[in-house]
Amino acid sequence: MLRRYFRYWREAFDFHSGAYRLDLWWVHIVNTFIFASILFVSIIFFNSWSLATKLSGTFSILITIPNLSLFIRRLRDTGFPVQTIMFVLMSPSLLGVSFGILASFRLVILAPIAFLIYFGWLIYLVSRRSAYWTPTLSKKQKSFYAALISAVMILTACFQVTALKHVTHEFRAAAQKYIQEQRQVNENRGKSASSSYSTKNGSMSLSTQETDDNTPEASSASSIPEKEVTELPDDSETTAYRGLTEDTIGDATFGFFKVHGTWEQDTASLQWLQSQQNVMILTSTQGQGFGVDFASFSFKKITGQSDVSLNQVDNVQASRIDGTYQDTTSDSIKAMTYLEWHMPDGHIRVVYLIAPSRPLLNLIVKTLSESFRAT
């Protein structure tokens, strides 16, 4: 059997002689075993997926010409003329054309069937008996070949399964580590910074400063109690807000959502101000390299956290943290909410809202959740 495999390399540039069926299948089985061995050794002993990729790629390049010559010799051995062999070699391009035709008629679902038919056709061609002479094997030789091929295939499967299990374990460990790091970031979000909030000449501004972890403003996310948002009756501020004209604010980076009233944007800090009720909205994107990326916002007091649903965006993990905020210019206490959701594209959207009352803040959050659309 090794003699057959060595002949495969010796005849790497022989496109004119023939090759028996056993030559073809044994070579492919051995090459598959080599690929599995490369994967097994690289992953298990060197713990390097990069090494496995490089070695596999190098071996694939080395066997390209020998595989082509072996395939042509097998077709020649079945008695096909040169014209038929050339048609078979050109058939992959015809397969691509057929896929394009299926796509143009919106029948892509039939592409796997077409591929299976094509693959079965190739197997039929190379499995034909020799048109010239096929050596006869005794029962003992057939049993030996069958046992050897079975043993190599079983060993190949064991190598592949072991390597894939190791890769799966490493992937799960990396995923768990990432989740733990994200949780740590969320827990530190209430500790890392504080912000001052001021109103001057009809515009809003934010400035950040370091906060002592022992102050009430530095609250750990892990200690925030779960608290469902309850419906509150409208107060005067909320009633006045409902009577204002509806508008849409936002930008191409963050997305768009509906509000009431006339809003002014401070493009430098991505803040929106509605002066009628003195409401502030700050939008932020994280992980995209632009926009404001605040690690936290200074709550006077955190009252609870809950989940948020976005009606027009699927597969979004959204959260809401409620509390109060003390205006630095007037020392008045206002309602404040921090919203964060992870978009399907992996990016993070963050919203800070400050309003004079909790009913008004709840209404704005509800409208935002119902109307938000990503770009």
Side-chain angles (χ1 to χ4, degrees):
M1 297 297 280
L2 290 178
R3 185 173 63 253
R4 294 178 184 271
Y5 190 73
F6 291 148
R7 186 168 66 238
Y8 157 75
W9 287 103
R10 288 198 308 270
E11 300 176 353
F13 296 94
D14 180 7
F15 298 91
H16 301 287
S17 59
Y20 296 126
R21 288 177 294 185
L22 185 59
D23 296 329
L24 177 75
W25 297 123
W26 174 246
V27 165
H28 284 300
I29 289 173
V30 173
N31 284 341
T32 303
F33 173 76
I34 293 175
F35 277 117
S37 301
I38 291 174
L39 182 65
F40 178 81
V41 173
S42 301
I43 298 298
I44 301 300
F45 293 99
F46 296 95
N47 196 27
S48 174
W49 183 261
S50 175
L51 178 62
T53 303
K54 292 178 180 178
L55 293 179
S56 298
T58 302
F59 186 67
S60 298
I61 295 174
L62 291 176
I63 65 175
T64 299
I65 299 300
N67 278 349
L68 178 62
S69 63
L70 178 64
F71 181 71
I72 293 176
R73 293 200 306 272
R74 178 81 273 269
L75 293 179
R76 289 178 60 85
D77 190 64
T78 59
F80 286 121
V82 175
Q83 295 81 357
T84 303
I85 294 176
M86 293 299 298
F87 173 78
V88 174
L89 295 177
M90 294 294 295
S91 61
S93 61
L94 299 179
L95 182 64
V97 172
S98 66
F99 284 168
I101 295 174
L102 292 176
S104 63
F105 287 97
R106 298 182 179 180
L107 297 175
V108 181
I109 192 174
L110 298 179
I113 299 177
F115 178 79
L116 290 177
I117 294 175
Y118 173 77
F119 189 69
W121 174 65
L122 290 181
I123 292 179
Y124 166 74
L125 293 181
V126 298
S127 299
R128 288 160 50 94
R129 291 179 61 86
S130 172
Y132 307 103
W133 176 76
T134 301
T136 303
L137 301 178
S138 64
K139 292 183 178 180
K140 184 177 180 180
Q141 289 176 318
K142 290 180 179 179
S143 299
F144 170 76
Y145 286 141
L148 184 59
I149 291 174
S150 299
V152 173
M153 293 178 65
I154 292 174
L155 190 59
T156 300
C158 290
F159 281 179
Q160 291 176 333
V161 170
T162 303
L164 290 177
K165 282 185 177 180
H166 184 81
V167 170
T168 303
H169 176 75
E170 292 294 327
F171 175 79
R172 289 179 178 176
Q176 291 176 356
K177 181 180 179 181
Y178 174 78
I179 293 174
Q180 291 176 355
E181 291 176 351
Q182 292 300 310
R183 288 177 178 175
Q184 186 65 34
V185 170
N186 292 333
E187 290 175 358
N188 295 334
R189 194 164 267 158
K191 302 178 181 179
S192 59
S194 64
S195 305
S196 64
Y197 168 69
S198 61
T199 306
K200 184 177 181 181
N201 297 327
S203 65
M204 291 289 181
S205 66
L206 292 174
S207 63
T208 59
Q209 61 187 24
E210 292 300 321
T211 303
D212 187 354
D213 288 349
N214 296 324
T215 61
E217 289 83 354
S219 302
S220 174
S222 61
S223 62
I224 301 176
E226 296 287 341
K227 185 177 181 181
E228 294 295 330
V229 178
T230 58
E231 293 288 340
L232 298 174
D234 286 0
D235 56 7
S236 59
E237 296 286 352
T238 308
T239 303
Y241 180 84
R242 290 183 185 273
L244 298 176
T245 305
E246 189 177 74
D247 193 9
T248 299
I249 65 174
D251 52 44
T253 300
F254 177 82
F256 298 90
F257 54 92
K258 294 182 179 179
V259 291
H260 288 264
T262 303
W263 293 74
E264 299 176 359
Q265 183 185 18
D266 179 2
T267 55
S269 57
L270 301 183
Q271 299 172 65
W272 296 85
L273 171 67
Q274 195 262 60
S275 58
Q276 292 95 324
Q277 277 79 36
N278 196 15
V279 181
M280 190 278 289
I281 296 179
L282 183 145
T283 60
S284 173
T285 57
Q286 299 182 2
Q288 296 183 348
F290 48 80
V292 178
D293 189 8
F294 287 99
S296 67
F297 202 87
S298 179
F299 281 92
K300 175 66 177 178
K301 180 182 179 181
I302 296 179
T303 58
Q305 62 180 344
S306 57
D307 295 326
V308 180
S309 298
L310 301 181
N311 293 2
Q312 299 190 37
V313 185
D314 297 327
N315 302 323
V316 175
Q317 180 184 356
S319 60
R320 168 179 176 173
I321 298 179
D322 290 313
T324 58
Y325 176 81
Q326 184 171 3
D327 194 329
T328 57
T329 59
S330 62
D331 291 333
S332 62
I333 304 300
K334 298 183 178 182
M336 177 173 163
T337 287
Y338 167 83
L339 303 174
E340 176 179 302
W341 55 79
H342 298 252
M343 304 300 292
D345 61 2
H347 297 151
I348 298 175
R349 300 292 187 269
V350 170
V351 183
Y352 300 95
L353 299 97
I354 298 178
S357 66
R358 180 62 57 185
L360 176 56
L361 189 58
N362 287 346
L363 176 60
I364 296 175
V365 173
K366 180 181 179 182
T367 305
L368 189 154
S369 302
E370 292 175 348
S371 61
F372 174 80
R373 55 183 176 83
T375 56

